[in-house]
Amino acid sequence: MTTPTEVENPRSEPAAAADFFAVNSIADASVSTGSATTKVLGWLTLAGLVVLLVFAFIISPEDSRETADGAIIGQFDAVRLLYLHVPAAVFAYVAFALTGLGSIIYLWKRSRWWDHVAHSSAEIGVVFCGVTLLTGVIWGRPVWNTWWEWGDVRIVTTLLLFLIFVGYLAFRSVPSEPRRQARNASVLAIIGALNIPVVNRSVEWWENRTLHQQSTLEELKIEDATLLTLMIGFAVFGLMFLWLLIHRFRVAWLAEEVEQHGLKQALRRRREEAQREAMVS
Amino acid sequence: MGFAKLAFLAMELAVSLRSLVVLLGSFPALSGVDLDIQSGEIVYVRGANGAGKTTLLRFCAGLLNFYSGEGQVLGFDIRDANSDTRQMWRTQVGYLGHETRLYPDLTAQENLAFLAKLCRAEMAALQYGVERLELSQELLATRVGSLSAGQRRRVALAGVVLRSPKLWLLDEPHASLDSRGRSCVDQLIVDAAKAGATLLVVTHEPVAHELLEAVPADLSVGESAASGSATAGSEAAGSASGGSAIACAPGSSRLVELSGGAVKGNR
Amino acid sequence: MTLLLALFALTHAGYLAAGWSIGLLAIGAYALSVLVRGRALSKRVPLSRQRWMNSLPDEDEQS
Amino acid sequence: MNTSDATPGHLSLMGILRTSWHIWRKDLLIELRSRVLLNQILPFAVLVLMLFAFALDGDSTTLEFFAPGLFWVAVLLAALLAIGRSVATEQADATMDNFRLGSSSPVAVFFGKTLVILTQLLVLEIVLAVGVIVFYGARLSEPLLFVSTSVVATSGIASAGTLYAVAISKLGVRETLLPLLLMPALVPVLIGATRAFGDALGTAGVNGWQWLGLLGAFALAYLTLGALVFGSLLEEN
C-alpha cells in the first residue's frame, strides 16, 4: 500500500499532546483525503473503466455457440453483465478476507491501524457484494429465466456473506467504548470470515445441484477478447478497490484523530477543573 | 536506610498510582491520579458528582484498563496485561459499587451462597459476613427483589465481607442505610483495617471526626502520601513517594479529595 | 418504439443497461460519500496530522 | 476446597466445570422462580407452530413434509428470546461484575451460560417435538438420530448465541442487533438440523448422520472460539 503505511498505531502516542495543542492551526487544514498517489490511482481507475466499457460492449463478442445438434445456445448479450458481476464478486471476497486478516492482526498486535483497515475493507466489501447480488439477479433473469435460484451455492453464500457483514457494520455504527468495540468487532469479523467456507459447504450439500457455472472462465468458451475483457475488469476493480480502501482508511484515521483531539481537549479541561478546585479549597 | 525505604515501598503500599489516566469511552474520568495508600490504611475519598470516584474504585478493582500512567495495586503492576494476573488481582479485592449485583429472583441466602462459590470462599467466611451485617434468618430467606434498598445494601456488603479481601473498595457504603446500619458498617471498616486490610471508601457525607480520629492520631494521619494534582504530576510523584515514609498504624485513616479526575492532597 | 422495445427484449439490452448503470452508480455514490466524509473530517484535523500530504514535514515521526 | 489464596486453581478443568455447574444451577433456580421460559417462551414457540399452519393453509401433506424446517425455525425464534433473557438476567443489576471479580476463568462463565441455554432449549424442543407430531402429523422413524441431532444442533445454537449476546451485551440496541448478527451465523445449523430431521422424520431421503457431523463440527468450532475469546468479550474497556 502507499503512504498511510507510515502511520503506526496512532493511539500509542499520548506524549505528543503538548505540541499538538500549541499548533492547533485547524483553520488552514487540508480539505480532502486525496493525495498525489490517490489522484493517479483515481484517474487510472476512471480511464480503465472507460476501456472496460468499450471492451465489454463493443470489442468482446456475445456468448453463443452451436451444439452438436445444431441449436445455438449461450448467454448472448447478457454475458456483458459478467464483466461487472465477476470482478465485483471477486473483490468483495478479497475485501472480506482482508477484513478477517486485519481483525486477526488487530487482536494480535492491538494496533488501531489494522482495525481501520478491517473496518474500511468491510464497508467496501459490502458495497461490492451488494453490486454483485444486484447484477447477479439482473443477469439471472435473461439467462436462467429466474431472478433468484435457491439451489445455487454461490448466490446463497454471497447473500449470507452480505448479511453477515451488514451486521458487522451495524455493530460498528453503534457508538460505544472504542477499544471494546474494536475488539468485539474483530471477533465478529473473524467469525464471519470463518463462516464463509462453512456456509458454502452446507449450502452445497443442501441441494446437490447448481445452476452456476462451475468455473466461469471454463464455461465462457474462452475467446481471447472475452478473457481479455474479464482481465481488464479485474484490473479496474483492483484499482478501484485500492482507491476506495485508501480513501476510506483515511476517513477512519481522520475520525480517530478528531476523537483523539477531543480527548486531549477533554483531558486538558478536566485538569484545569482539578486545578481550579484545588485553588478554591 | 535506603534498603529499609525500598522494602517499605515494596511491602507496605497497597495502592500506588502515578499520573493515572482512565478513559470511559473517550471521556477522561481520571485525568491524572497520584495516590499512595499504605496497607492497613483507611482512605476516604470525597468529591463532587463526576469527579471520578467510582472510576477510581473500579480501576483499583482491576475492572478497567488505563490510558496512561503507572503504578501497582496489591503488588500487581497495572501495566501487566496478562489475564491470569488480572484475575488474581481481582480475586483479592472486595468491591461494592452503586449496584448491589444481586439476583432479585433469588433469596439473600442463595445470592450469598452463589457469590461464595464464585470466589471459592469458605462457609465460615459467609457466616462471618452474615453476622457482621446482622442479617437475620428471616431476611436471608427472603427474595432479594422484595427486600428494601437498605437491606439489599447490607446483603451486598455481606457479599464483600465473605471474600475476605485484602483491598476493600466501597462506593458510598452508607447509602440507603439507617443509623444502625451505618454504625455497623463503620465498625466493619475499622475492624477490617485493624486486621490488616486496606480500605478505599467513597463518601459524599462529611466524614465524622471521631472516625478519622478513631485511631492513634500521632502516626501520620493524613499526610502520608496523596499529593499533587495531575498537571504537576512529575514533581509531585517524587515528593509523594519519597517524602513521608512513615509506617502508619493499621486502622489509621485520612481523607482524600478528588476533583476533575485528579487527587489533590488534603490536610 | 415497439421496435426498440422488441430489440431490448431480444438482446437483453434492458437488463444490461440496468445492471451496469445501477452497479456503477452504487459504487460511484459510495465513492462520493467517502470523499464527502473525508472532506468534512479533514477540516477538523490539523494539516500536520494528515500525513498523506507528503509535501509537509513529518513532524511527529520521532514520537 | 481451595479458598481465595490466589493459586492458579481457577484454570484447572475441574474448577471451570464446577463454576459452570454453579452458574447453571443458579440460572435454573432463577427460572424456577420467574417461570419466564415456562410461561412465556414455551407458549410463544407453540404459537409459532400454529402460525406456520395458518400460513401454509393447514395443508396436512405440506405441513408433514416441511415439519423438520418449521420445527427448527420455531426453535431459532424461541432461542432468540431465551438468549436475550439469559443476558438480561446478568444485565439487570450489573451481576456480570461478579463473574469478572470471581476467581474462575471466563471460560467457565461461557460454558455455564451456554449450558443454561442448551438446557432451556432442549426442554423447549421436547414440547415442539410433541407439537409437530400432533399438529403436523410428523412420524418419528429414527428416534436416536432425532435426539442426537437436537442435542448437537442446540449446542451450536447455544454457544454461538452466548458468544454474540455477550459481544453486544453493553449496547443499548442489543435486542434488535442480536437477530441480525446471530441468524446468518446459524444458517448452517438450520440447514444441517433440518436435513438431519428430514431423515429422522422420514420426509427426506438423505443420510442424516452425515449432517450430524456438520452440526458437530459447527458446535465444536463455536465452543472452542468462545473459550478463546470470551475473556476479552467480558472486559469493559
Side-chain angles (χ1 to χ4, degrees), chain B residues 23 58 65 84 87-88 90-92 99-103 105 110 115 117-120 122 163, chain D residues 2-3 6 11 22 25-26 29 33 90 93-95 97-98 100-104 235-237:
Chain B
L23 304 182
R58 288 182 72 83
N65 289 313
D84 289 346
Q87 202 68 44
M88 282 199 278
R90 287 173 181 177
T91 53
Q92 293 180 23
E99 300 92 353
T100 56
R101 306 206 307 268
L102 301 169
Y103 299 98
D105 286 319
E110 287 160 347
L115 286 174
K117 277 163 185 158
L118 272 188
C119 62
R120 293 181 207 170
E122 278 164 0
R163 298 170 66 92
Chain D
N2 199 347
T3 52
L11 288 176
H22 292 316
R25 244 190 26 191
K26 182 267 294 174
L29 204 55
R33 299 272 162 75
E90 307 297 345
D93 202 15
T95 46
D97 276 351
N98 288 333
R100 295 196 191 100
L101 291 166
S103 59
S104 194
E235 293 300 315
E236 195 151 318
N237 71 348

Side-chain angles (χ1 to χ4, degrees), chain B residues 6-257:
Chain B
L6 261 174
F8 159 75
L9 283 173
M11 306 286 289
E12 297 294 329
L13 285 180
V15 175
S16 167
L17 304 169
R18 292 287 166 273
S19 316
L20 178 75
V21 177
V22 173
L23 304 182
L24 295 182
S26 42
F27 173 71
L30 296 184
S31 64
V33 166
D34 292 299
L35 181 65
D36 282 326
I37 303 176
Q38 297 173 32
S39 290
E41 207 180 6
I42 305 170
V43 173
Y44 290 95
V45 181
R46 215 164 57 176
N49 290 330
K53 305 184 296 291
T54 300
T55 308
L56 178 62
L57 251 53
R58 288 182 72 83
F59 177 79
C60 289
L63 289 171
L64 296 174
N65 289 313
F66 65 105
Y67 178 73
S68 64
E70 55 184 21
Q72 57 91 9
V73 175
L74 293 173
F76 297 103
D77 191 326
I78 62 171
R79 284 169 301 188
D80 189 348
N82 184 297
S83 59
D84 289 346
T85 320
R86 193 48 77 94
Q87 202 68 44
M88 282 199 278
W89 166 5
R90 287 173 181 177
T91 53
Q92 293 180 23
V93 302
Y95 166 59
L96 175 73
H98 293 299
E99 300 92 353
T100 56
R101 306 206 307 268
L102 301 169
Y103 299 98
D105 286 319
L106 301 183
T107 66
Q109 174 72 48
E110 287 160 347
N111 264 298
L112 289 176
F114 179 64
L115 286 174
K117 277 163 185 158
L118 272 188
C119 62
R120 293 181 207 170
E122 278 164 0
M123 282 301 127
L126 200 166
Q127 203 49 48
Y128 177 70
V130 167
E131 278 162 21
R132 285 310 302 255
L133 273 303
E134 300 175 358
L135 304 175
S136 66
Q137 285 306 313
E138 194 189 346
L139 189 153
L140 283 173
T142 314
R143 273 177 68 252
V144 165
S146 39
L147 291 178
S148 78
Q151 288 170 317
R152 265 181 248 182
R153 199 81 182 151
R154 268 158 59 202
V155 177
L157 267 161
V160 173
V161 174
L162 65 81
R163 298 170 66 92
S164 353
K166 284 185 187 163
L167 175 62
W168 297 54
L169 304 159
L170 305 178
D171 205 343
E172 297 180 49
H174 282 179
S176 61
L177 289 183
D178 56 15
S179 61
R180 181 161 173 74
R182 284 172 203 211
S183 59
C184 183
V185 168
D186 289 340
Q187 195 54 48
L188 186 68
I189 290 173
V190 171
D191 287 353
K194 281 187 175 151
T198 312
L199 292 97
L200 191 55
V201 183
V202 162
T203 177
H204 267 314
E205 313 157 13
V207 179
H209 270 282
E210 66 265 25
L211 267 182
L212 287 177
E213 286 152 19
V215 284
D218 52 323
L219 286 171
S220 80
V221 177
E223 58 185 353
S224 56
S227 72
S229 74
T231 36
S234 49
E235 64 216 60
S239 67
S241 52
S244 50
I246 311 163
C248 69
S252 70
S253 60
R254 67 189 159 99
L255 189 62
V256 148
E257 296 260 1

Side-chain angles (χ1 to χ4, degrees), chain D residues 117-199:
Chain D
I117 296 168
L118 174 66
T119 314
Q120 298 193 338
L121 289 183
L122 284 178
V123 171
L124 186 108
E125 282 164 20
I126 293 173
V127 175
L128 282 181
V130 174
V132 291
I133 289 170
V134 173
F135 294 150
Y136 297 172
R139 276 180 294 267
L140 204 56
S141 60
E142 259 195 84
L144 187 61
L145 179 62
F146 189 89
V147 172
S148 33
T149 301
S150 295
V151 174
V152 175
T154 312
S155 306
I157 295 174
S159 49
T162 307
L163 191 59
Y164 281 100
V166 170
I168 63 172
S169 62
K170 284 275 174 175
L171 305 183
V173 296
R174 59 172 185 273
E175 293 92 345
T176 39
L177 191 55
L178 181 65
L180 175 61
L181 292 179
L182 187 56
M183 290 295 118
L186 288 182
V187 160
V189 175
L190 179 64
I191 295 175
T194 302
R195 297 265 89 183
F197 259 37
D199 188 7

Side-chain angles (χ1 to χ4, degrees), chain A residues 69-131:
Chain A
D69 52 352
I72 293 186
I73 58 157
Q75 308 170 11
F76 304 105
D77 264 347
V79 76
R80 302 190 196 284
L81 212 46
L82 290 188
Y83 304 128
L84 177 63
H85 174 78
V86 176
V90 166
F91 276 94
Y93 277 83
V94 166
F96 293 141
L98 185 59
T99 299
L101 184 75
S103 302
I104 290 171
I105 299 180
Y106 172 72
L107 285 185
W108 177 29
K109 302 244 179 193
R110 296 290 157 109
S111 98
R112 281 298 288 268
W113 198 90
W114 279 104
D115 183 49
H116 293 329
V117 170
H119 187 183
S120 309
S121 189
E123 206 175 278
I124 300 165
V126 164
V127 172
F128 279 7
C129 202
V131 169

Side-chain angles (χ1 to χ4, degrees), chain D residues 34-52:
Chain D
S34 64
R35 304 275 169 93
V36 171
L37 178 79
L38 196 69
N39 293 347
Q40 297 168 26
I41 302 180
L42 266 183
F44 169 76
V46 175
L47 187 66
V48 172
L49 283 189
M50 206 172 92
L51 293 181
F52 285 143

